[in-house]
Amino acid sequence: MELDKTFDPKSAQERWFDKWVELGYFKADPTRAGKVFSIVIPPPNVTGQLHLGHALNVTLHDVIVRARRMQGYNTLWLPGTDHAGIATQNVVERELAKEGLNRHQLGREAFVERVWQWRETYGGRILNQLRRLGASCDWSRERFTLDPGLSRAVTEVFVRLHRDGLIYRDRRLINWCPRCETALSDLEVDHKQSDGRLYYVRYPFADGSGAIIVATTRPETMLGDTAVAVNAADPRYASMVGKMVRLPLLGREIPIIADQAVDREFGTGALKITPAHDPADFEIGRRHGLEQIAVMDEHARMNEQAGPYRGLTREECRKRVVADLEGEGLLEKIEPHPHAIGVCSRCETVVEPMLSPQWYVRIKPLADPAIAAVRDGRTRFHPQRWERTYFDWMENIHDWCISRQLWWGHRIPAYWCTSCENPEPIVAAAPPEKCPTCGGAMRQDEDVLDTWFSSALWPFSTLGWPDESADLKTYYPTSLLITGFDIIFFWVARMMMMGLRFMDDVPFRDVYITPLVRDQFGKKMTKSRGNVVDPLEIIERYGTDAVRFTLAQLAVQGRDLVLSDDRLAASRAFANKIWNAARFTMMNLEGAPQPLPPPAEIGRLRLAERWILDRLDSAISDVTRAIDGYEFNVASLRLYQFTWHEFCDWYIELAKEPLKSGGEAQAATRWVLVRCLDRLLRMLHPFMPFISEEIWQVIRPYIDDAELAPHLAIARFPEIGDKPLLSAAEQTAMAHCIEVTGAINSMRSLLGFHPGARGRALLKVVSGGDLNLAGWKTYAMTLGKLDELTILDEQAQPAGHFIFTQLAWGEAGIDAPAEFDFQKTWAALQKKLKEVVSHLERHVARMSSPDFQSKASPEARQETEDKVVELGAQKIRLEAQLNQLGQSA
Ligand SMILES: [Zn+2]
Ligand SMILES: [Zn+2]
């Protein structure tokens, strides 16, 4: 077998992914022995389109899952999708609208049928996109939140929570989206700044003795007022409490009441109270037993309670009410009053607080154990600071409104009698045949559950609960959850509560919160900015492996991830580097492919061979540790450094000579090359699965391993040997060799050596004693392309034009090439330095200007700071180079 000249990501991606799936490598077996590693995917919405957030999430999942599989764990990664109630219903409603239809014209059954059809056609799209990233999920266990099994779990949980008094029904003020025609939880309401107004309205006393002025931002709701409230401690109004006022426009008489919740500083200190349309008023109304008069219907149009305003929209009604108040001389004044208003997070319609009967989860008894589980470390957050966010929310949590007036979702298992007066519903897993009281027919509650209700059960409903399945026994609790910070409340917290309640254990041991992905200017990616990077497009351009490697490399815990083309190009170059190293190795293996026998005695290998095997061990232990700590960036950088610098730049160069020499040295070098490549590919596989498998298949016949796996996807992750390969003196010798060669090579580029040109180098030893040059001299001469490398006598004056670099123990110098033009290089460096300095000064000035400090966005500030750091480093480098030249002039 041969490797092509260049790597073709597209063909490798398709070939290998299908092969791995076909061979069942990703399939979990709950009966298998061994340590367990299990993970459930955060189910993307069926309406989802792959974005970079998914790509990052799936990459990190796959890195850890592939690593654990290779480490011999009994591994499960369970995939699936969420039915995404309101989101999916909206998508299908928009489709219907294009045909001039709405869901009511279709009717519930036909509409739900239509959504299922949509799901059949498009619901697999997002999972196919995850496959393109190489996701090694157990695809035979794919789940959907509306599957029969998962729906059964949802019903069971509802029934049990209701039985235990943790689900109840109440008529309260809820957030209502008049466009989606459903209740929304507080989390589903976004807050938007609006330039509202404050209207001052005169409410005349019923006895004609004067008036009280109230201030309100929503004059149209006054039609539902049932009181005016003042603060009991407010002397301005003390004498008025208990009096009746006449509600303007409608003429009803309502009382003035005193309540401690009234803010004396707001407006006039007197509030109109509309219990059916304002959450604060609702509470005050409950305390005082006030009537709740709803003046709008579910479309937010004024209803019959609004009298002459019936049929108007909220907005029209406000205009008419204000005009009428003005006409009657009851409008004191209008002031500008910017304030936040709630909008539906799905459709941006202004949310209307509405009085309506809904189902609630009594949350405190569920939240307390979930708080305790994180406090005592049964579940740990990474980075840990997210625990504070979790506690803050959990400690101030409100009961959860779980009913939605939608059609797409899990219908609530509550049944109402159609004939009894004012009946209580029956909550049961199976529909009751008839009413136990009157024998009448029963109908099921019309509402469905909040989509997050079923997602909250995901870690156990997907494993077969309520049955005690083998999957559930083996894979619960899961090992790790990887998700974004934006769904800590929606999802993470609720899984904790439900898992502890129904499984008596946390749903996951670790929670890794992924960084936020930003563009190359540090800006958040949004559609409106037009800076959204499509992962499928960059996969097309750079290959899946390069995209995955970039994302892993940039995933620094607790920091935003800044993606740029430069980074992607660097990862693609890295893939090419590995490819070329493999080609070099293959070209130096001879004869029929067969396992290369290991050298008789590792201890007798050259220093170079033992050194690279030592570096390999060090990389293995660093990468293993980093993966265990979810430090994906540390692991990938170490892989990069080992591959590029230690293996390619150093070892492959040092291997060239013995490869030509024949005999024992040649055989040993071949064995070391194959061994390094094999181990390297095993470590690299979780990050770059395709290129690693492609190469590994070609070198596989040469690998000496009694238990050699057929594919890298299920090969063993490497472990380190137990014997040290280098003595302390040899460690030091190689460190000197690397240091000197590094200095020589950077001088070569400064002095404009032709890549192939040979040079002469000198070492001046000032302190530190013996460099043991003899042990590494030939290596340094090979790596630095030198004809001569000697230690200079302190007194001697070397002939030639030597340029020196300071090192800890002395100096290394190289004789400049004949064509080296001191004046020209000096001038060029000076010019470059001047540019960098003026650039730097401009940025520093900008950064310290008071205007910038007060007005610039955090992203802009970060960008400028980064630039200053980078320019500062350039300046130091140029100055050092000039200094070097100056000293030797
Ligand atoms: Zn809406
Ligand atoms: Zn009945």
Side-chain angles (χ1 to χ4, degrees):
M1 252 195 289
E2 279 272 322
L3 285 172
D4 291 341
K5 246 188 129 152
T6 54
F7 174 56
D8 174 11
K10 226 170 275 174
S11 111
Q13 282 156 214
E14 278 163 32
R15 243 177 316 117
W16 291 121
F17 194 79
D18 291 347
K19 192 87 192 160
W20 297 324
V21 172
E22 181 195 312
L23 293 169
Y25 290 164
F26 306 152
K27 262 189 145 154
D29 173 5
T31 63
R32 226 196 80 188
K35 279 198 283 183
V36 170
F37 183 84
S38 64
I39 195 161
V40 289
I41 204 168
N45 287 354
V46 274
T47 51
Q49 275 274 33
L50 191 74
H51 57 64
L52 264 180
H54 295 125
L56 169 67
N57 182 284
V58 163
T59 297
L60 302 184
H61 271 89
D62 203 42
V63 167
I64 188 98
V65 168
R66 282 183 189 265
R68 291 293 181 250
R69 186 179 296 119
M70 294 174 77
Q71 284 165 338
Y73 284 73
N74 179 348
T75 304
L76 165 67
W77 178 12
L78 188 141
T81 46
D82 192 290
H83 68 282
I86 195 167
T88 313
Q89 177 157 331
N90 280 355
V91 167
V92 177
E93 282 190 299
R94 275 201 296 274
E95 258 191 14
L96 283 179
K98 281 185 213 146
E99 300 163 25
L101 288 170
N102 65 44
R103 65 175 158 125
H104 299 286
Q105 288 165 300
L106 237 63
R108 184 165 189 153
E109 214 168 303
F111 178 78
V112 170
E113 184 49 39
R114 177 90 192 230
V115 186
W116 275 106
Q117 277 168 19
W118 185 92
R119 190 248 171 187
E120 286 311 311
T121 318
Y122 301 106
R125 187 179 50 188
I126 181 77
L127 293 182
N128 283 327
Q129 292 171 334
L130 302 189
R131 284 186 182 91
R132 288 200 57 192
L133 278 159
S136 66
C137 300
D138 181 348
W139 293 102
S140 70
R141 278 180 167 76
E142 188 186 319
R143 299 283 187 268
F144 179 52
T145 44
L146 277 176
D147 282 346
L150 276 72
S151 298
R152 185 174 145 232
V154 167
T155 301
E156 190 64 30
V157 163
F158 189 97
V159 170
R160 289 195 199 178
L161 286 177
H162 182 264
R163 182 196 66 200
D164 298 342
L166 294 179
I167 282 185
Y168 62 93
R169 203 169 151 79
D170 196 13
R171 198 174 128 88
R172 291 188 190 171
L173 212 56
I174 44 95
N175 307 301
W176 180 268
C177 174
R179 202 222 59 87
C180 300
E181 291 175 49
T182 181
L184 302 171
S185 74
D186 291 345
L187 289 176
E188 290 165 311
V189 176
D190 291 341
H191 294 277
K192 237 170 69 178
Q193 204 54 32
S194 102
D195 20 281
R197 292 183 193 147
L198 197 55
Y199 302 83
Y200 289 78
V201 184
R202 183 184 290 273
Y203 281 35
F205 295 132
D207 63 10
S209 63
I212 184 166
I213 297 168
V214 303
T216 178
T217 57
R218 300 198 59 196
E220 69 281 10
T221 62
M222 68 178 287
L223 303 170
D225 283 1
T226 50
V228 167
V230 295
N231 192 304
D234 191 337
R236 291 175 292 177
Y237 298 117
S239 65
M240 299 183 195
V241 175
K243 279 188 118 159
M244 298 298 280
V245 295
R246 195 174 300 284
L247 180 65
L249 308 177
L250 293 185
R252 276 192 283 116
E253 283 192 16
I254 56 175
I256 299 178
I257 57 169
D259 193 282
Q260 75 280 6
V262 178
D263 177 5
R264 290 157 64 174
E265 307 300 317
F266 180 79
T268 58
L271 288 183
K272 62 190 249 345
I273 301 300
T274 326
H277 288 284
D278 181 276
D281 293 7
F282 176 79
E283 294 301 328
I284 293 176
R286 270 209 171 169
R287 281 201 285 276
H288 296 269
L290 295 177
E291 202 188 340
Q292 301 161 335
I293 303 178
V295 293
M296 287 175 218
D297 66 12
E298 67 271 25
H299 306 290
R301 276 186 183 271
M302 308 314 289
N303 65 14
E304 65 285 349
Q305 295 287 356
Y309 302 94
R310 176 180 181 174
L312 298 181
T313 65
R314 307 177 266 194
E315 297 77 13
E316 290 162 356
C317 183
R318 177 177 300 183
K319 278 189 206 139
R320 284 272 296 279
V321 162
V322 170
D324 291 351
L325 286 171
E326 199 151 33
E328 293 189 23
L330 294 174
L331 190 64
E332 270 298 296
K333 57 174 175 174
I334 305 177
E335 283 175 353
H337 181 69
H339 61 283
I341 50 167
V343 299
C344 170
S345 61
R346 281 295 155 194
C347 72
E348 297 205 351
T349 303
V350 175
V351 163
E352 187 61 46
M354 285 275 216
L355 205 52
S356 119
Q358 302 285 345
W359 293 93
Y360 292 88
V361 171
R362 198 181 306 284
I363 212 79
K364 197 137 184 342
L366 297 172
D368 287 344
I371 293 170
V374 175
R375 285 239 186 271
D376 62 25
R378 272 174 288 155
T379 293
R380 295 169 300 259
F381 279 76
H382 309 266
Q384 206 194 350
R385 66 183 167 92
W386 289 110
E387 285 178 6
R388 228 185 34 224
T389 309
Y390 173 85
F391 291 136
D392 280 350
W393 190 66
M394 290 292 257
E395 279 158 5
N396 300 294
I397 198 166
H398 298 292
D399 282 1
W400 176 15
C401 173
I402 49 170
S403 41
R404 296 290 181 273
Q405 288 63 50
L406 302 171
W407 287 349
W408 177 243
H410 298 97
R411 200 153 161 184
I412 289 179
Y415 301 86
W416 302 84
C417 174
T418 51
S419 13
C420 283
E421 290 225 345
N422 199 17
E424 278 296 307
I426 294 174
V427 170
E433 272 173 37
K434 54 185 185 350
C435 170
T437 317
C438 75
M442 304 293 284
R443 65 171 175 79
Q444 188 170 4
D445 199 295
E446 296 292 327
D447 293 353
V448 300
L449 288 163
D450 179 2
T451 205
W452 295 99
F453 191 88
S454 50
S455 340
L457 320 181
W458 186 252
F460 55 90
S461 65
T462 50
L463 297 175
W465 189 92
D467 295 338
E468 284 192 23
S469 65
D471 274 6
L472 197 63
K473 274 189 209 141
T474 304
Y475 298 118
Y476 191 96
T478 65
S479 315
L480 170 67
L481 177 79
I482 303 180
T483 192
F485 70 92
D486 50 336
I487 52 176
I488 292 180
F489 307 143
F490 277 115
W491 196 45
V492 181
R494 286 166 179 169
M495 282 191 285
M496 289 291 291
M497 295 190 255
M498 294 298 193
L500 284 158
R501 178 87 191 172
F502 292 98
M503 292 298 299
D504 214 14
D505 200 350
V506 293
F508 22 75
R509 300 280 177 226
D510 287 319
V511 179
Y512 175 93
I513 300 295
T514 50
L516 187 70
V517 183
R518 294 183 180 274
D519 73 4
Q520 54 194 320
F521 306 108
K523 300 247 177 355
K524 204 174 153 180
M525 293 187 184
T526 59
K527 272 192 196 136
S528 56
R529 280 206 183 98
N531 61 348
V532 177
V533 173
D534 176 5
L536 297 175
E537 196 247 334
I538 52 174
I539 283 175
E540 198 69 27
R541 266 167 52 212
Y542 297 98
T544 299
D545 286 323
V547 171
R548 288 172 56 119
F549 193 76
T550 306
L551 291 172
Q553 203 180 31
L554 295 174
V556 182
Q557 281 189 25
R559 244 206 275 158
D560 292 345
L561 184 155
V562 179
L563 188 74
S564 65
D565 277 332
D566 289 357
R567 288 293 199 155
L568 289 160
S571 296
R572 184 173 52 194
F574 178 54
N576 290 337
K577 189 86 176 169
I578 300 161
W579 189 259
N580 290 334
R583 273 173 55 81
F584 170 84
T585 304
M586 290 305 297
M587 280 184 296
N588 283 287
L589 301 177
E590 275 179 348
Q594 55 179 317
L596 302 182
E601 241 186 286
I602 299 278
R604 286 188 52 205
L605 294 178
R606 284 195 311 169
L607 176 58
E609 273 68 43
R610 284 180 294 117
W611 172 78
I612 193 66
L613 292 173
D614 173 74
R615 296 327 297 154
L616 177 65
D617 271 3
S618 140
I620 291 169
S621 77
D622 290 346
V623 169
T624 306
R625 198 173 333 112
I627 290 178
D628 287 346
Y630 312 125
E631 293 179 303
F632 300 98
N633 59 314
V634 174
S636 42
L637 286 171
R638 184 69 181 92
L639 272 167
Y640 182 94
Q641 189 216 8
F642 172 77
T643 307
W644 197 294
H645 299 300
E646 294 171 336
F647 186 59
C648 296
D649 284 357
W650 301 85
Y651 183 66
I652 286 191
E653 291 308 313
L654 297 178
K656 284 177 179 167
E657 204 184 291
L659 283 173
K660 278 180 267 171
S661 70
E664 221 177 294
Q666 185 189 48
T669 305
R670 283 178 177 162
W671 180 84
V672 170
L673 276 173
V674 168
R675 184 165 183 93
C676 286
L677 205 49
D678 168 41
R679 299 288 165 104
L680 162 64
L681 293 169
R682 289 176 196 240
M683 282 193 279
L684 193 67
H685 182 74
F687 297 86
M688 301 181 119
F690 299 109
I691 192 172
S692 55
E693 182 79 83
E694 185 94 345
I695 298 173
W696 197 75
Q697 287 302 325
V698 176
I699 65 150
R700 186 177 171 279
Y702 300 91
I703 299 170
D704 171 51
D705 180 348
E707 294 165 20
L708 194 59
H711 290 95
L712 184 55
I714 53 162
R716 284 303 289 240
F717 200 82
E719 283 166 21
I720 60 168
D722 45 10
K723 270 189 237 135
L725 293 152
L726 297 179
S727 69
E730 287 169 331
Q731 295 270 16
T732 318
M734 279 310 286
H736 284 319
C737 173
I738 289 167
E739 189 184 24
V740 167
T741 318
I744 285 172
N745 282 333
S746 72
M747 286 186 283
R748 284 178 64 102
S749 85
L750 171 67
L751 301 177
F753 270 89
H754 290 301
R758 313 289 301 176
R760 295 196 305 136
L762 284 174
L763 303 174
K764 277 193 210 166
V765 184
V766 176
S767 67
D770 190 9
L771 284 184
N772 192 9
L773 180 61
W776 50 275
K777 183 172 172 177
T778 55
Y779 298 158
M781 288 177 69
T782 306
L783 295 167
K785 300 196 180 82
L786 300 173
D787 285 333
E788 228 184 277
L789 174 63
T790 45
I791 294 184
L792 180 70
D793 195 313
E794 263 179 76
Q795 266 67 50
Q797 271 304 322
H801 195 157
F802 278 84
I803 312 288
F804 284 93
T805 298
Q806 284 288 341
L807 298 169
W809 40 262
E811 286 174 80
I814 187 164
D815 191 7
E819 67 271 23
F820 174 63
D821 184 336
F822 177 86
Q823 293 303 339
K824 215 170 116 196
T825 308
W826 181 267
L829 286 174
Q830 284 284 11
K831 182 162 171 252
K832 181 81 196 150
L833 179 64
K834 231 171 119 184
E835 277 169 22
V836 168
V837 167
S838 91
H839 217 126
L840 180 64
E841 280 166 356
R842 269 211 310 282
H843 275 80
V844 170
R846 180 172 140 86
M847 203 166 68
S848 40
S849 89
D851 220 32
F852 181 75
Q853 292 207 337
S854 60
K855 290 190 194 136
S857 67
E859 290 92 3
R861 268 209 294 271
Q862 186 63 49
E863 201 185 315
T864 310
E865 270 170 40
D866 290 350
K867 197 78 201 163
V868 165
V869 170
E870 187 202 311
L871 288 166
Q874 274 187 42
K875 175 169 171 271
I876 290 170
R877 208 161 46 237
L878 288 164
E879 281 169 349
Q881 288 179 338
L882 280 164
N883 191 25
Q884 228 171 5
L885 285 184
Q887 275 180 8
S888 16

